Amino acid sequence: MLKPRRHTDLDIKVHIGNMLINIIYINFEPPVASWGYPNHCHSSYELHFIPSGTGVLEVSQQEFRIEPGTFYLTGPGVYHKQLADRTDPMCEYCINFEIKVRRRKNVKGDTYLPGETDAILQVLQNTSFWFGKDEFATIALFDSIMKEFQNQWLGYYTNVQSLVSQIIVNAVRSFTHHRESGYHIPKKILNDSRRYLADSYFEVPRPDMTPQILADRIGISIRQLERLMISYYGKTFSEKLLDARLEKAKDLLLSTALPVQDIAEQVGFRSASYFGKVFKRAEAATPQQYRQNNHHR
């Protein structure tokens, strides 16, 4: 028989933008006949998800029939009572949390959208009670949280925080009936795009690759480019280019039957003899030896 799982003493806090979600408890109530809670309220928010079974919820003298997949919110000060069915008792996941707001302006380095956080906060503050269906498979997220608590593998606290964030966002989406956000993820500024542009440049080595071409593509000077190369790769442009050419050459040696001379030209070496010299220095084998020694891989 399933036992209650009540996590009331774990200090779990989740940031959603400038909101701090302080978890009061996360509970699982097993399907015990006629279990329930008398009329009560909380000073915090409570999300209830019903994986299976049936029961009755009463809020403000109005009854709601609880069925598998039911989801409901009871906000601060909302009196409610629950009673599981005698023959098909419901089980329940419940998360109780309070919201604290950091009252300060968005500053450089913040990794959230103020508009998104404000919208989520407004929906939560304006929703004191909601009853409906779990349309976003949120119950599975609770299953994952309980497994994280049980296994306690490396990173489980971070995973629980992420899962709680998803649960709250799913709830807000339910309250707003899938309303569109009205905002967009910001576009990267050029400074943030430089790493992508640099990585892309070296993906396919060619004969006509120069520092000036990459500097022009990124929009910086040659001197700035050299600093950027050291910052990203710990190598100069020439060292990174040579590394990219050798890696591509090794791939072609093993994945094709191309002659060594053709491979040397394709990846940008000025001659097959120079390619052979550089390759042997790097791999302690000639290109032919490398192909023979690794053809079975």
Side-chain angles (χ1 to χ4, degrees):
M1 182 177 179
L2 292 174
K3 295 181 179 179
R5 283 173 278 173
R6 294 171 181 155
H7 301 280
T8 60
D9 58 348
L10 300 179
D11 187 12
I12 301 173
K13 293 181 172 61
V14 177
H15 286 278
I16 300 179
N18 64 329
M19 284 192 300
L20 175 66
I21 308 298
N22 182 33
I23 306 303
I24 310 301
Y25 55 77
I26 299 176
N27 287 352
F28 171 75
E29 294 289 351
V32 176
S34 300
W35 75 266
Y37 288 98
N39 202 30
H40 67 289
C41 73
H42 303 281
S43 60
S44 47
Y45 294 85
E46 204 166 51
L47 299 175
H48 311 255
F49 289 84
I50 312 301
S52 62
T54 59
V56 174
L57 168 72
E58 184 176 311
V59 176
S60 300
Q61 299 181 338
Q62 184 178 0
E63 282 194 357
F64 298 86
R65 183 66 180 167
I66 296 173
E67 298 175 341
T70 294
F71 152 54
Y72 55 98
L73 163 80
T74 50
V78 174
Y79 279 89
H80 58 286
K81 62 180 178 181
Q82 303 142 271
L83 181 64
D85 190 81
R86 182 182 298 275
T87 58
D88 182 24
M90 65 185 183
C91 59
E92 178 193 75
Y93 285 123
C94 177
I95 180 170
N96 187 297
F97 63 94
E98 64 174 343
I99 299 173
K100 298 180 180 180
V101 182
R102 181 185 64 191
R103 296 295 181 186
R104 70 179 183 86
K105 294 182 179 179
N106 186 244
V107 298
K108 185 177 181 180
D110 280 343
T111 56
Y112 67 93
L113 298 179
E116 179 173 78
T117 304
D118 291 346
I120 292 173
L121 177 61
Q122 183 179 39
V123 170
L124 288 171
Q125 290 177 332
N126 291 341
T127 309
S128 58
F129 174 70
W130 190 90
F131 185 93
K133 282 289 186 180
D134 174 21
E135 299 181 63
F136 299 101
T138 308
I139 289 170
L141 301 179
F142 278 98
D143 289 335
S144 296
I145 286 177
M146 293 303 174
K147 288 176 183 176
E148 292 292 342
F149 286 150
Q150 180 179 355
N151 296 323
Q152 298 186 16
W153 292 331
L154 180 63
Y156 82 104
Y157 179 68
T158 298
N159 262 2
V160 169
Q161 289 176 305
S162 174
L163 291 163
V164 168
S165 294
Q166 293 176 65
I167 289 170
I168 291 173
V169 169
N170 283 356
V172 168
R173 288 178 172 180
S174 297
F175 305 157
T176 56
H177 305 290
H178 310 180
R179 188 182 74 201
E180 290 188 11
S181 62
Y183 56 82
H184 302 281
I185 297 176
K187 299 293 184 182
K188 281 191 175 295
I189 61 174
L190 178 60
N191 200 42
D192 289 335
S193 301
R194 287 174 177 171
R195 189 182 296 272
Y196 169 76
L197 293 171
D199 285 347
S200 300
Y201 188 72
F202 292 104
E203 280 181 1
V204 183
R206 300 174 302 279
D208 59 340
M209 298 175 73
T210 68
Q212 190 63 62
I213 293 174
L214 179 56
D216 290 344
R217 183 175 295 184
I218 294 177
I220 57 178
S221 68
I222 294 292
R223 180 175 293 183
Q224 289 173 310
L225 176 65
E226 288 300 341
R227 289 199 295 267
L228 181 143
M229 296 298 300
I230 296 297
S231 172
Y232 288 175
Y233 308 110
K235 300 176 181 179
T236 66
F237 178 91
S238 298
E239 291 169 339
K240 173 60 180 173
L241 179 57
L242 178 60
D243 180 66
R245 283 176 169 163
L246 288 173
E247 284 300 313
K248 182 62 177 178
K250 288 191 290 184
D251 178 61
L252 292 173
L253 284 166
L254 300 183
S255 63
T256 74
L258 287 172
V260 171
Q261 182 171 345
D262 291 352
I263 291 175
E265 292 176 1
Q266 184 170 324
V267 300
F269 286 93
R270 61 176 181 265
S271 69
S273 60
Y274 178 65
F275 167 57
K277 185 184 299 183
V278 172
F279 192 95
K280 186 173 183 179
R281 186 165 60 239
E283 299 297 326
T286 66
Q288 294 91 336
Q289 290 169 338
Y290 181 86
R291 174 177 270 170
Q292 291 169 0
N293 294 339
N294 297 278
H295 73 279
H296 60 282
R297 292 184 181 178

